[in-house]
Amino acid sequence: MVSRFSHRTGDDVDEPVTEACRRKHQDRWRRRRLLQRQLHDGAALRISALTLRLGLLEHRAAPDGQAVQDCIGELQDELHAVLEELRDVAAQIYPPLLDEAGLGPALREVVATLQAPVAVVASEERFGPAAEGAAYFAVLQCLAAQPAGAPSTKVVVRREIDTLMLSVSGVDAFHAELIDDQVRPLGGIVEVITGSPPGASTVIARIPCE
Amino acid sequence: MRVALAEDGTLFREGLLMLLRAAGHQVVCSAADGDELVALLTTTPADVAILDIRMPPEPDGGLITAERLRAAHPDLGLLFLSHYAESHYLMRILEIGTESIGYRLKEKVGSVEVLTDTLNRIGNGEIVIEPVLAKRLVERTRGDKKDVVAALSDREQEVLRLMAEGRSNNGIAGQLYITPKAVKKHIANIFVKLGLHIDTAAHHRRVLAVLTYLRSQRNQG
């Protein structure tokens, strides 16, 4: 059974998203991407450069300065930990790999960290920062909501003229709401093909894209 | 060692130049982008080129630059530095070449010893892979093959992880304080358990075997 996903029930029909709303949310995604780049080109690069300066200091420390050298090594490890935390933050703002390589590589990289098997079918094609960002986080939230031991999930990303088509199969029909939250502000439309059992449903989103 | 360097971040580039010189390497040229480096290297010989992955020409100029350099100077070693250790880039790097090539995190080459060890291994024809990434690849193995990896002994898993970093038998032996002969035995066991049939003498092929195997796990999903 295919049905158009709607937050509301009965006579209360979904309001179409206005052009102004779409533009506002597109800008929001661009800002997120910009913030992530700023983290990379600013703070992260400075900290990496600091580890080099510390290495130089270690080299110049007196040969009998083992204590100093150990201390510098510890500082470098600490800076690595700081960078790892920044990477975590960057990934939640706008994943760098999504920015640089697109949905296919970014989704494949992230599903590799999950226990449950997820297949990703996506070409190298690009869709613009807003549609890609919304699709990426929609998939992530959907996968995070999957119960432990759920059967395999399949994610397909494809272009349909000026629309990004995202399909997530093998998920609960209720997950449509998670996907809808991400894609609706951009004028996206979500459909649900309810499976049997309901945990084997397919959610299809179509998002206007660049 | 004669080193060429391309990195668009001034602070990092200058820091790396100082550390390279302190380590006794000769920096034959340095550039802020890939195109400039390719031009400089047409007249200047070098042993290893250090490339930032994310630099002009955008978006991932380091990879495009590397392809051009490998075509023009097949013997030139290539060391990629990045702020991110992603398997996506590792696979792309291994498509460019499987000899004299390396991929490390920027903040992990910040000592004379590590930098020199990395450059020497690349100069000797080896593949060098950031240990964090190699470890992640081994640990992330899933599905049926996860059971296979789980069937390896702790020592064999350590050896597999070091193999994925691109370490030689002697390198692995040194890291684990065991004899090269013992390493060979562990590797033979790993290959049997993983069902791989590769000439164990060909060092880089065996790294590739490990990575191909791990990648196949990722793509199977």
Side-chain angles (χ1 to χ4, degrees):
Chain A
M1 184 189 78
V2 184
S3 58
R4 166 96 181 266
F5 178 79
S6 168
H7 276 290
R8 301 165 186 85
T9 51
D11 304 332
D12 194 0
V13 182
D14 287 345
E15 300 252 333
V17 176
T18 64
E19 186 55 32
C21 170
R22 273 176 53 179
R23 269 206 301 275
K24 187 179 82 184
H25 280 89
Q26 281 169 353
D27 280 349
R28 212 170 262 181
W29 283 109
R30 281 195 199 93
R31 267 210 306 285
R32 281 172 74 153
R33 186 178 65 168
L34 200 66
L35 274 175
Q36 173 267 121
R37 287 181 179 177
Q38 213 176 328
L39 260 186
H40 172 273
D41 299 336
L45 204 59
R46 275 177 186 276
I47 296 169
S48 299
L50 262 185
T51 63
L52 298 174
R53 299 275 297 274
L54 283 171
L56 200 60
L57 198 64
E58 183 200 14
H59 185 66
R60 287 176 181 164
D64 57 350
Q66 190 59 47
V68 175
Q69 289 176 350
D70 289 351
C71 184
I72 290 174
E74 282 167 23
L75 282 177
Q76 287 180 322
D77 289 346
E78 192 59 32
L79 289 181
H80 169 63
V82 171
L83 286 172
E84 290 283 273
E85 284 184 17
L86 284 184
R87 289 181 184 114
D88 262 4
V89 173
Q92 289 173 58
I93 298 174
Y94 202 96
L97 195 57
L98 179 63
D99 181 10
E100 288 166 30
L103 273 169
L107 286 172
R108 275 189 279 271
E109 196 86 26
V110 76
V111 301
T113 65
L114 305 173
Q115 280 303 314
V118 182
V120 176
V121 181
S123 69
E124 303 275 298
E125 201 164 353
R126 303 304 301 263
F127 306 92
E132 288 182 351
Y136 177 87
F137 284 101
V139 171
L140 237 61
Q141 290 187 1
C142 200
L143 294 178
Q146 284 284 81
S152 65
T153 315
K154 186 175 177 184
V155 179
V156 180
V157 177
R158 194 171 58 223
R159 178 178 283 276
E160 291 180 348
I161 310 169
D162 51 2
T163 305
L164 185 171
M165 195 288 301
L166 165 72
S167 127
V168 188
S169 325
V171 295
D172 200 296
F174 291 118
H175 291 356
E177 189 171 348
L178 298 170
I179 294 182
D180 191 69
D181 286 345
Q182 292 289 341
V183 308
R184 172 199 290 269
L186 294 171
I189 292 165
V190 173
E191 272 176 10
V192 187
I193 303 168
T194 309
S196 169
S201 298
T202 298
V203 181
I204 298 168
R206 287 187 172 81
I207 317 165
C209 66
E210 286 176 21
Chain B
M1 193 165 289
R2 294 169 305 173
V3 181
L5 168 64
E7 156 72 58
D8 61 339
T10 313
L11 263 180
F12 191 83
R13 187 177 64 245
E14 296 301 323
L16 194 54
L17 278 175
M18 284 196 282
L19 198 63
L20 283 165
R21 288 187 180 126
H25 300 294
Q26 187 193 348
V27 181
V28 293
C29 55
S30 94
D33 68 73
D35 292 341
E36 194 188 339
L37 190 80
V38 171
L40 287 168
L41 283 174
T42 52
T43 52
T44 315
D47 300 310
V48 176
I50 302 180
L51 305 165
D52 180 16
I53 290 184
R54 189 161 153 176
M55 69 173 172
E58 298 293 347
D60 35 27
L63 297 171
I64 296 155
T65 305
E67 279 169 6
R68 293 165 64 191
L69 289 176
R70 186 82 356 160
H73 319 280
D75 295 333
L76 176 70
L78 300 168
L79 169 59
F80 295 88
L81 294 182
S82 173
H83 181 53
Y84 298 98
E86 313 263 28
S87 41
H88 169 74
Y89 285 122
L90 178 60
M91 298 313 161
R92 287 199 57 189
I93 286 166
L94 294 177
E95 281 164 17
I96 295 169
T98 54
E99 274 175 77
S100 299
I101 207 155
Y103 178 24
R104 299 219 57 178
L105 277 174
K106 282 185 172 176
E107 81 266 23
K108 285 292 191 180
V109 292
S111 86
V112 164
E113 290 76 21
V114 172
L115 192 56
T116 298
D117 174 62
T118 302
L119 290 172
N120 284 344
R121 284 172 62 197
I122 292 172
N124 288 336
E126 294 184 21
I127 300 176
V128 180
I129 294 164
E130 181 60 46
V132 179
L133 182 57
K135 187 163 177 274
R136 210 190 304 151
L137 286 170
V138 172
E139 285 174 356
R140 272 183 192 174
T141 310
R142 285 197 318 247
D144 312 341
K145 293 293 183 345
K146 184 170 190 164
D147 300 335
V148 180
V149 173
L152 300 178
S153 70
D154 288 352
R155 186 36 67 85
E156 284 162 1
Q157 287 196 27
E158 279 178 311
V159 172
L160 177 66
R161 183 171 57 74
L162 290 167
M163 281 167 71
E165 281 176 26
R167 301 256 168 206
S168 63
N169 281 7
N170 287 341
I172 295 172
Q175 291 269 316
L176 298 180
Y177 302 103
I178 54 178
T179 63
K181 209 178 147 194
V183 172
K184 260 186 151 169
K185 217 179 117 195
H186 286 309
I187 291 174
N189 284 342
I190 291 168
F191 274 62
V192 168
K193 287 188 185 173
L194 296 187
L196 293 169
H197 307 284
I198 301 287
D199 174 11
T200 46
H203 161 72
H204 68 272
R205 282 180 59 197
R206 128 193 136 151
V207 176
L208 269 189
V210 174
L211 292 170
T212 307
Y213 161 78
L214 294 168
R215 175 171 54 176
S216 74
Q217 300 319 297
R218 286 164 41 77
N219 288 352
Q220 260 176 26

